[in-house]
Structure formats: C-alpha cells, structure tokens
Amino acid sequence: AWGLVVEGGGPSGPAVVAGDASGLATAPSCLAGLFAQESLSPDGDPAQIAQVAGVEVVLRLEHDGRLRALMGLSFHQQDAPTATTRALLEEWAVGLAFALGARQDIAEHELAEARVAESESNLASFINNTSDSIWSIDRDYNFVMFNQAYAELFEQLYGEKLVKGMHALTYMKPEDQSLWLPFTEAALQGKRQVFEFSFDFGDELHHYQAWLNPIVKDGEVCGVAAMSVDVSALKRGEQALARSNQRYRSLFDNSPMPLWEEGFAHVGRELQALREQGVTDFGAYFDEHPEKIEELSRLVEILDVNKAGLRLHGAKSKQELLRGLGKIFTESSYGVFKEQLIAIAEGQTTYESVGSVRTLQGDTRDVLLNWQVVPGLEKTLERVYISTLDITERRRAQAERERLLL
C-alpha cells in the first residue's frame, strides 16, 4: 500500500502529518494538513505568507514501509509557498505515486510470471524424471501433454514421433482402441478408471496398470489425464509366488507323511495372559489346572491337512478333521499337548515327542509328532506345521522282539 509522510517545521514548531496508506489521495490530504497548520492561504495572501517564513518541508513517499521517493523544500519570506506551489506539490506526489505504483504492479506481474514458469519447470522435471508414462488428451482425443517416458513408449508401439495435437485414435490399432475406448469414454463422463493391460514387445510380454482421471474445468470434463505403470516385475513375482505355492501345495498334499497346518495364535495370546497374571511355572500350573489343557486345545485352529493325514485318521474329507483336535485326541494326547504348551510358553519354536492319536473309527495309533512354527511368525504363532509319522507297527514290532527276548 502507498502512503505519503510529510514532515515539516516552522514558526509554530515541528509538525508531522502521516498518510494512512489509503491510496493516492493521501498525498494532497497530507500537504493540506501541513499547510493548514502553518495558516497558508490558498490564494497566497501576503499577510499569511509572512507567518510561514522559514518553513521547511520533507515529503517521503513510502510503499509498505519502504522509502520510494524523497523531496526536501525550504520556504523563505521572499519565496514562501503559494496555493500554486501546493497544487504542484500535490500533483508531484500523486504522479510519482502513480508511476511507482504502476512499476510495482509490473514488477509483481513479472514475479508472478516467473513463479509460474518455475512451477511449470518443476512439474516438467518431475513428470520427465519418472519411468511411468504420463499423458493427457482433450475431449476430441488430441494429445495435450505427455512426458518423455510416454513419448518413447508411443514411438516404440506405433513407430511415430509423438507431438502435441496429434489425434490418438489415428495411430491406435483396432485391438488397442477396443481396450482403451470404453475406459476413456467412461473417464470423459467423469468416472475415474483403473485397469490392467499388456503389450507384447516380441521378446517379452509387458504388463501395465493404468489410471484415467477426468480433467474438470468450470464444472465440465474437458479431457482425461492418464498414467500407466509397468508392473511386469510385480507380475513375474506374483507368478513365481503362485508357482512356488503350487509346488508347496503339491508337496504338502502328496507327501507320504501326515502333515498339518495349524494356527496357534489364540493359544499364544492365552499363555501370555496367564504370564501377565503371574504364572511363571507352567508345568505346575497345568498340574493344578488340568482342565486348562483341554480348554487351550480347543483354541487350536486346524487350517489344513494332507491326504496322508486323512488316511491316518480314516477320514473321507478334510472337513471331518478341520472341526478340532478333540475328535482325534486320546488321553495321552493331552499329556503331549501339555508339554507342547510348556515349550511354547518358554519361547521354543520347535517341539518333538512320541504320542498317540485316535482315528475316526476309534482305533489308537502311535505317532512321532514334530511341531514347528513357520519362520517369521514366531511372535504371533499364526501358522505352525505339524507332522505325525505313524510308528504304530514299528512299536508293535519292537514290543514283540522284547517279548521274545524275555
């Protein structure tokens, strides 16, 4: 904001009349105030002029508190200011303020343009320093903007150098149009689109994920901004993981040894709660509270069991065994489970023991049990692997040999 500060002194003493930065009208009001203090007649009456002999005036034109122009005047009796002088000073102040104000407006406009140019340069640097393709089209499918990555991809796909204003549909192959047109038309209707597509570059198939966003101006969709990301590496990783899972599933399902996948997360949390309640000797605790062992066994989640496990227990389907451990536990099974719980409470992630299980037909089978937490899940116990090798015949043969030796 502009303002005029007039400082003066004369027969009546020092005087300061400061502008309030209210605009160019400040200049004449300040001068009028000073001359009024010194009783200057508008028409320069000699009697009144004599009263202002020796008046000294300093005019300071300021903008936002910064000095922009300065004029010093000294009036003596022989050349004391008249109304004409006052008018000239007012005109000077107003004219100078207008000129400096106009220059300030120009400077601010130039600064705004420089900031816009800097912003556009930063945006261009950002979109061109990414390997992701970024482009936009107007409602007539003419290219408005694109980055270097998309220009290179476009030339690789269609053999044409991309320039602004080119019509996208002119160069797209029919199969590409059938893919892109429905999504683009939906985006032009104001609906954001996300989808995946693939391009075969001859030596390798590339997979992309694309986003199409409506460009809205004054409430109307005027175009579409698009971005596509090459997700080939991610797809290859997903495919490799799928193959790995398939191999694991094949090994799991077809292993000759009974295998189980179980969840012990609820068991782990319950043991932690007992620890927080002050339990330190879990062996003694379970001896005093044997009912807690069966209660904890019901918290085990049976997630999967393989074909050999079904055969071991005489089950026709997995669903028959996924209902819980109670259907296959014997009395001695709870003893083994107690030792297993103690091992878990002590922080062990593997456990091995010999025990017995029951088939769905009521037969008892002796097994060598091996329990192991899946690596990476030691804190949560979300998944553990268990193998139950049937050693019933081996133990019977051993018992028979011992009987014959007696």
Side-chain angles (χ1 to χ4, degrees):
W2 290 93
L4 182 68
V5 179
V6 182
E7 300 174 350
S12 62
V16 176
V17 182
D20 60 0
S22 60
L24 302 181
T26 303
S29 65
C30 291
L31 287 170
L34 179 66
F35 290 135
Q37 291 183 21
E38 298 300 341
S39 302
L40 178 62
S41 172
D43 57 1
D45 181 67
Q48 293 177 330
I49 291 175
Q51 297 181 31
V52 295
V55 171
E56 294 183 353
V57 180
V58 176
L59 295 94
R60 293 169 37 197
L61 191 64
E62 298 181 352
H63 179 262
D64 292 338
R66 297 178 59 188
L67 182 64
R68 295 297 186 178
L70 180 69
M71 176 178 283
L73 301 171
S74 179
F75 297 103
H76 302 286
Q77 187 169 358
Q78 65 272 22
D79 58 359
T82 65
T84 303
T85 307
R86 169 182 161 179
L88 289 173
L89 288 174
E90 292 176 356
E91 185 178 349
W92 169 83
V94 173
L96 184 58
F98 181 81
L100 291 176
R103 182 66 189 90
Q104 181 70 20
D105 290 343
I106 294 173
E108 291 176 353
H109 180 71
E110 291 175 346
L111 178 61
E113 288 184 337
R115 288 174 176 169
V116 170
E118 181 182 5
S119 177
E120 291 179 346
S121 176
N122 291 338
L123 177 61
S125 297
F126 172 76
I127 66 173
N128 281 315
N129 285 330
T130 178
S131 58
D132 302 330
S133 296
I134 301 174
W135 72 99
S136 66
I137 59 171
D138 60 22
R139 292 195 65 89
D140 296 323
Y141 286 83
N142 298 314
F143 284 104
V144 177
M145 181 277 296
F146 50 85
N147 68 347
Q148 187 63 31
Y150 182 73
E152 293 174 357
L153 179 63
F154 186 92
E155 187 169 1
Q156 184 179 7
L157 290 173
Y158 305 116
E160 293 285 344
K161 186 175 180 61
L162 183 59
V163 296
K164 292 181 180 180
M166 286 176 57
H167 192 255
L169 300 183
T170 302
Y171 299 93
M172 294 180 70
K173 301 172 184 176
E175 58 269 26
D176 296 337
Q177 291 190 23
S178 64
L179 168 69
W180 285 91
L181 276 176
F183 293 112
T184 307
E185 287 297 323
L188 287 171
Q189 295 300 317
K191 302 174 184 177
R192 184 173 183 265
Q193 302 293 301
V194 181
F195 60 98
E196 293 186 1
F197 64 98
S198 302
F199 275 127
D200 190 351
F201 289 99
D203 58 338
E204 187 177 10
L205 184 66
H206 281 251
H207 302 276
Y208 297 87
Q209 186 166 10
W211 292 263
L212 303 184
N213 294 293
I215 301 174
V216 180
K217 182 178 181 182
D218 298 329
E220 298 289 335
V221 178
C222 60
V224 174
M227 181 176 74
S228 67
V229 178
D230 190 334
V231 294
S232 301
L234 179 62
K235 284 292 184 182
R236 287 193 292 269
E238 291 176 349
Q239 292 167 357
L241 179 61
R243 290 192 296 269
S244 176
N245 288 338
Q246 187 176 12
R247 287 194 296 270
Y248 158 76
R249 180 54 53 192
S250 177
L251 290 172
F252 180 88
D253 284 337
N254 298 301
S255 170
M257 180 180 292
L259 298 176
W260 302 71
E261 184 178 341
E262 298 178 353
F264 271 68
H266 297 303
V267 174
R269 285 194 287 269
E270 186 65 21
L271 292 174
Q272 179 61 28
L274 291 173
R275 187 180 292 107
E276 292 172 355
Q277 293 170 18
V279 177
T280 56
D281 187 341
F282 281 88
Y285 174 82
F286 288 129
D287 287 340
E288 295 177 6
H289 304 277
E291 74 285 352
K292 194 69 175 179
I293 300 173
E294 184 177 355
E295 178 185 329
L296 290 173
S297 73
R298 291 196 295 269
L299 296 180
V300 176
E301 298 177 273
I302 302 178
L303 304 175
D304 203 359
V305 58
N306 69 352
K307 297 175 183 177
L310 298 182
R311 289 194 296 269
L312 173 64
H313 293 279
K316 297 179 180 179
S317 69
K318 292 183 179 182
Q319 294 304 318
E320 291 183 277
L321 297 180
L322 297 181
R323 296 169 185 168
L325 296 175
K327 298 188 66 174
I328 61 173
F329 265 21
T330 65
E331 190 64 31
S332 66
S333 298
Y334 288 103
V336 174
F337 188 69
K338 168 192 169 184
E339 298 302 319
Q340 188 177 342
L341 292 173
I342 295 172
I344 296 172
E346 293 175 351
Q348 298 181 36
T349 58
T350 61
Y351 174 79
E352 188 172 280
S353 179
V354 174
S356 64
V357 293
R358 185 172 54 239
T359 69
L360 297 182
Q361 290 75 34
D363 299 326
T364 299
R365 309 296 294 182
D366 296 323
V367 296
L368 174 63
L369 179 143
N370 184 283
W371 180 93
Q372 183 167 348
V373 181
V374 173
L377 300 178
E378 292 84 357
K379 292 184 178 180
T380 65
L381 304 178
E382 290 179 9
R383 279 167 47 211
V384 301
Y385 291 139
I386 299 171
S387 63
T388 51
L389 178 63
D390 187 354
I391 58 173
T392 304
E393 300 306 324
R394 183 191 309 175
R395 297 192 74 178
R396 286 177 180 174
Q398 182 179 355
E400 182 63 18
R401 284 196 299 271
E402 292 175 354
R403 186 185 67 81
L404 293 175
L405 292 174
L406 293 178

